[in-house]
Amino acid sequence: KNQVEQSPQSLIILEGKNCTLQCNYTVSPFSNLRWYKQDTGRGPVSLTIMTFSENTKSNGRYTATLDADTKQSSLHITASQLSDSASYICVVYNYGQNFVFGPGTRLSVLP
Amino acid sequence: DGGITQSPKYLFRKEGQNVTLSCEQNLNHDAMYWYRQDPGQGLRLIYYSQIVNDFQKGDIAEGYSVSREKKESFPLTVTSAQKNPTAFYLCASSKYRGVVPNEQFFGPGTRLTVL
């Protein structure tokens, strides 16, 4: 069964600290993986997209990694800001089929 | 939110009523999608459409209906047959479903509450 799991379910950190979010997937055949940021009550916004051959991609303070062998991805946030408080969703796309969404990790950054 | 608009932002419905959620995009995208989001769960696909006048059921289509008469528009009707319609509804679009990498752009969402 195509599935995407994320951990932790929620996370609280202090402003300025770093954090790492995890994504494990069993989607096959794998096409690409993306991380979205979703503010409360808003639509998701894409942060990064990674194909099979890519293992690291950065977007400002966000760095995503992908290990296609172990079917794991992580999103590392550096020097967190209050505006980073949001849900982070991992999505895997399989060829010609569909987008499989993880449940998300809820991040709260406190001052 | 890109070039995708959804209306209304908030919608209240009485039991037994049908309601229609609007989704419009000006990105010239071929494919459009409707998702439902419940707390603590991932987005679940309701319907999708790859071209005008064609659409396919997703994982949770029961109690919902759609139409795709124009490329820019993909309205979703929540019928009285949907037993638990209170949720956050998201519309998305992408250039073409077979393109790799295929990226979706999301609208701002509509929160539907059944009274």
Side-chain angles (χ1 to χ4, degrees):
Chain A
K1 179 181 178 181
N2 288 325
Q3 203 164 0
V4 175
E5 297 178 343
Q6 293 186 243
S7 62
Q9 184 176 24
S10 61
L11 181 63
I12 301 174
I13 62 173
L14 295 176
E15 186 178 13
K17 298 297 185 182
N18 303 336
C19 67
T20 300
L21 314 180
Q22 300 291 340
C23 172
N24 297 334
Y25 61 92
T26 57
V27 178
S28 180
F30 175 87
S31 173
N32 57 73
L33 180 148
R34 75 286 308 287
W35 285 90
Y36 284 92
K37 177 186 179 187
Q38 184 180 21
D39 293 315
T40 300
R42 306 282 301 270
V45 176
S46 180
L47 293 175
T48 66
I49 182 168
M50 303 179 71
T51 58
F52 184 87
S53 60
E54 297 174 302
N55 52 32
T56 302
K57 183 169 282 190
S58 293
N59 178 5
R61 295 181 296 101
Y62 301 101
T63 299
T65 65
L66 173 65
D67 186 334
D69 292 332
T70 62
K71 298 186 177 180
Q72 295 180 326
S73 175
S74 66
L75 181 69
H76 185 75
I77 304 175
T78 304
S80 61
Q81 301 175 358
L82 298 179
S83 59
D84 292 331
S85 294
S87 289
Y88 291 84
I89 303 172
C90 176
V91 185
V92 179
Y93 180 67
N94 56 350
Y95 282 106
Q97 298 296 316
N98 221 328
F99 299 89
V100 185
F101 289 78
T105 291
R106 179 68 198 175
L107 174 65
S108 299
V109 180
L110 303 180
Chain B
D1 299 336
I4 302 177
T5 59
Q6 291 185 242
S7 62
K9 186 171 178 64
Y10 300 97
L11 186 59
F12 298 89
R13 187 194 95 173
K14 293 182 179 179
E15 288 190 13
Q17 287 182 336
N18 294 352
V19 291
T20 297
L21 282 60
S22 170
C23 178
E24 304 277 336
Q25 55 99 358
N26 61 4
L27 301 169
N28 196 31
H29 283 171
D30 304 296
M32 297 187 73
Y33 313 78
W34 273 106
Y35 293 93
R36 170 181 171 138
Q37 187 175 35
D38 294 286
Q41 297 189 36
L43 274 68
R44 292 183 291 168
L45 182 65
I46 304 173
Y47 269 98
Y48 66 93
S49 168
Q50 296 182 14
I51 58 173
V52 174
N53 292 324
D54 183 68
F55 48 83
Q56 305 295 327
K57 292 182 179 180
D59 301 321
I60 56 167
E62 184 176 353
Y64 300 96
S65 65
V66 295
S67 63
R68 186 88 185 274
E69 298 177 358
K70 298 186 301 181
K71 186 176 184 178
E72 302 80 16
S73 179
F74 192 41
L76 173 74
T77 297
V78 184
T79 74
S80 57
Q82 169 51 237
K83 298 306 179 186
N84 186 24
T86 294
F88 189 53
Y89 290 87
L90 285 162
C91 179
S93 70
S94 63
K95 181 63 175 176
Y96 179 68
R97 210 157 181 269
V99 169
V100 177
N102 194 350
E103 184 169 1
Q104 287 181 314
F105 295 86
F106 286 87
T110 293
R111 184 166 299 280
L112 172 63
T113 303
V114 174
L115 303 175

